[in-house]
Amino acid sequence: MTGLNGKQILLGITGGIAAYKAVELVRLLKKAGAGVDVAMTDAALRFVGKTTFEVLSENPVITDLWEDSHGSVAHIDAAARCDAAVIAPATANCIAKLAQGMADDALTTTFLAVTAPIMICPSMNTHMYENIRVQRNLDLLEKDGVYILDPDAGDLACKTVGPGRLPDPWFIADRIIRMLCPKDFAGRQVLVSAGPTLEPIDPVRYVSNHSSGKMGYAIAKAAEMRGAAVTLVTGPVCLDPPVGVDTICVQTCQEMADAMLSKMDGADIIIQVAAVADFRPDRQETLKIKKISDQDRMTLTMVQNPDILQQMGEKKRQDQFLVGFAAETHDLAANAVKKIQKKNLDMIAANLVGVRDSGFKADTNQVTVFMKDGSQTDIPLMDKKAVAHILLDTILTRLKRTS
Ligand code: PMT
């Protein structure tokens, strides 16, 4: 699952200053492909008008149980049709009512009728949030299976500093997507590498490649969404670390080798997506190499880097599943199959590089998967996020078959 296509989200908004962030949240949920129903309390309406939410959600907003709904019961319909329900922001009052099963307004009545997964995003003054009665209510809700998204800490509108701030809308949307993902990787430890390595020549120059990290980050994120505990070892890229993923930043091949090999023992599945530089300058100058005006050439001697994947293939235990990637400009199948054998892999995902829409930098990728038993599957050109889920599906099928 890469977004919220075809999903229906019920968004409850209660009366906190952070209600304005719910406007952006509705926009993001719609952008991710969801249909959105909004329910607001009277207090929320004092912060943001319902017209804004009606326009953005393209649905009437539930504020009153007694409004004429032309024969249907609007709040029950919204509760019944949602795939997930979220309250953002959730005040202490609303949390208390939900914890006790009270239904004295349109929002709490609607939420009491929800059978889909519910997420609560508390947002309030720090002292209120830390109050034992609020914490007790949150514990009660959590025990009932409600997912509580912890507030951020920082400067609050009430001039206090501490936990209580509603997280950014993109983060809430991300966690809603996760809540709806099947947790078929729960209990599994996944180690992924991504991005290029960067091999310094001197303090200002280096040898590297075009890897953007998009493919590896998509795999790390997809595994986290599906319930795995994920460690990502990443070369230098311009992407934000994926939420919920333990991210280790490295620069050189040697640093990546140290990080991957030290984390390997604790992993069930290892996916080496990084574009590791095969060679590095034989020495790293400590001072910037100066340009000499009458010299129009310079020679750089390169030495071979360790092959991290091959080292992992040598160390691999029977119960570990090792996946490599192959970046090829030609003879994709022959080269990929050679690498499976040479590096003792269970699977390799081969992609053509140096073409548009696939391989380095692109948002999309066209991958052919080769397994060590000789089977081969072509995945058509698609978004790297979708490719990531298909690769994880393939790995899971294999693991289930062999366990
Ligand atoms: O990051 P993006 O812009 O999204 O691009 C994605 C990608 C094209 C980088 C990715 O899909 C990909 O193909 N990654 C592998 C790149 C690569 O180094 O391929 P290779 O065929 O040279 O190496 C084969 C395998 O050995 C790879 O898993 C590589 O990580 C590993 N290797 C290579 C050399 C080395 N010294 N150590 C290694 O571990």
Side-chain angles (χ1 to χ4, degrees):
M1 179 178 163
T2 58
L4 290 169
N5 268 335
K7 299 290 178 192
Q8 189 67 30
I9 308 297
L10 169 63
L11 174 63
I13 306 165
T14 65
I17 184 69
Y20 76 93
K21 290 190 183 175
V23 175
E24 178 65 2
L25 180 57
V26 174
R27 208 185 62 76
L28 291 175
L29 294 174
K30 293 286 288 184
K31 204 172 152 204
V36 181
D37 286 305
V38 176
M40 297 175 76
T41 60
D42 286 346
L45 289 167
R46 290 176 176 258
F47 289 94
V48 191
K50 86 177 188 182
T51 312
T52 307
F53 291 105
E54 276 176 346
V55 172
L56 287 175
S57 71
E58 301 174 270
N59 276 320
V61 170
I62 301 162
T63 53
D64 186 347
L65 292 174
W66 311 109
E67 253 173 21
D68 183 10
S69 51
H70 310 289
S72 69
V73 186
H75 66 283
I76 297 295
D77 289 349
R81 70 177 175 159
C82 71
D83 296 289
V86 184
I87 303 186
T91 58
N93 183 44
C94 166
I95 289 166
K97 288 200 267 184
L98 288 175
Q100 296 309 317
M102 283 175 66
D104 65 349
D105 59 17
L107 187 148
T108 47
T109 307
T110 306
F111 269 73
L112 213 52
V114 169
T115 54
I118 299 179
M119 178 189 290
I120 302 282
C121 309
S123 171
M124 64 199 76
N125 164 273
T126 300
H127 302 304
M128 285 171 77
Y129 175 68
E130 287 175 344
N131 188 298
I132 186 144
R133 278 155 280 177
V134 173
Q135 288 302 316
R136 196 164 50 217
N137 287 330
L138 287 171
D139 286 348
L140 267 177
L141 287 167
E142 203 163 37
K143 278 191 196 120
D144 289 346
V146 172
Y147 179 72
I148 310 292
L149 189 71
D150 289 339
D152 283 349
D155 292 326
L156 302 183
C158 55
K159 309 274 188 262
T160 50
V161 180
R165 203 165 59 185
L166 188 70
D168 287 340
W170 69 264
F171 182 78
I172 300 174
D174 185 89
R175 295 299 87 183
I176 294 170
I177 296 173
R178 185 180 191 274
M179 190 165 75
L180 285 172
C181 252
K183 299 294 175 291
D184 49 3
F185 273 71
R188 299 198 189 263
Q189 317 282 325
V190 179
L191 174 61
V192 185
S193 73
T197 65
L198 185 156
E199 313 294 333
I201 299 169
D202 69 11
V204 295
R205 304 178 181 96
Y206 57 82
V207 177
S208 190
N209 59 62
H210 294 297
S211 173
S212 63
K214 285 178 189 169
M215 190 67 252
Y217 276 55
I219 292 175
K221 186 160 183 59
E224 192 272 336
M225 289 268 179
R226 292 168 69 160
V230 183
T231 302
L232 171 67
V233 176
T234 173
V237 296
C238 298
L239 303 173
D240 288 327
V243 173
V245 169
D246 179 20
T247 304
I248 301 171
C249 297
V250 297
Q251 290 228 321
T252 61
C253 167
Q254 190 56 59
E255 287 170 10
M256 184 170 278
D258 293 345
M260 290 298 285
L261 291 164
S262 75
K263 293 285 172 189
M264 184 182 169
D265 271 356
D268 312 309
I269 300 162
I270 302 142
I271 311 173
Q272 174 82 333
V273 194
V276 183
D278 287 314
F279 298 94
R280 66 175 187 279
D282 71 337
R283 49 177 291 168
Q284 182 187 344
E285 301 295 341
T286 47
L287 299 176
K288 181 180 170 191
I289 302 170
K290 298 307 277 182
K291 190 168 78 183
I292 301 170
S293 52
D294 61 351
Q295 187 184 315
D296 62 358
R297 276 163 199 258
M298 84 167 274
T299 306
L300 193 63
T301 307
M302 307 281 278
V303 292
Q304 214 173 91
N305 262 332
D307 190 315
I308 307 171
L309 189 58
Q310 191 160 335
Q311 289 184 10
M312 291 195 291
E314 283 157 15
K315 275 188 69 183
K316 182 170 86 86
R317 295 190 311 262
Q318 272 291 313
D319 61 335
Q320 290 179 310
F321 196 87
L322 183 60
V323 181
F325 263 71
E328 307 294 345
T329 52
H330 57 285
D331 295 337
L332 189 80
N335 287 325
V337 168
K338 256 188 239 159
K339 283 174 189 173
I340 287 205
Q341 285 151 3
K342 186 167 173 233
K343 305 193 186 199
N344 189 26
L345 309 178
D346 296 290
M347 166 176 147
I348 196 159
N351 44 203
L352 281 176
V353 290
V355 292
R356 263 191 62 181
D357 300 334
S358 189
F360 291 122
K361 284 187 183 166
D363 288 333
T364 48
N365 207 2
Q366 184 165 0
V367 169
T368 304
V369 176
F370 299 88
M371 310 300 293
K372 79 169 171 204
D373 63 10
S375 59
Q376 163 184 345
T377 313
D378 290 317
I379 304 174
L381 181 74
M382 61 178 74
D383 193 277
K384 282 180 176 166
K385 296 183 189 114
V387 173
H389 279 284
I390 293 180
L391 294 177
L392 292 179
D393 292 343
T394 310
I395 294 170
L396 204 58
T397 309
R398 284 289 156 154
L399 286 174
K400 282 185 181 155
R401 210 179 286 170
T402 51
S403 65

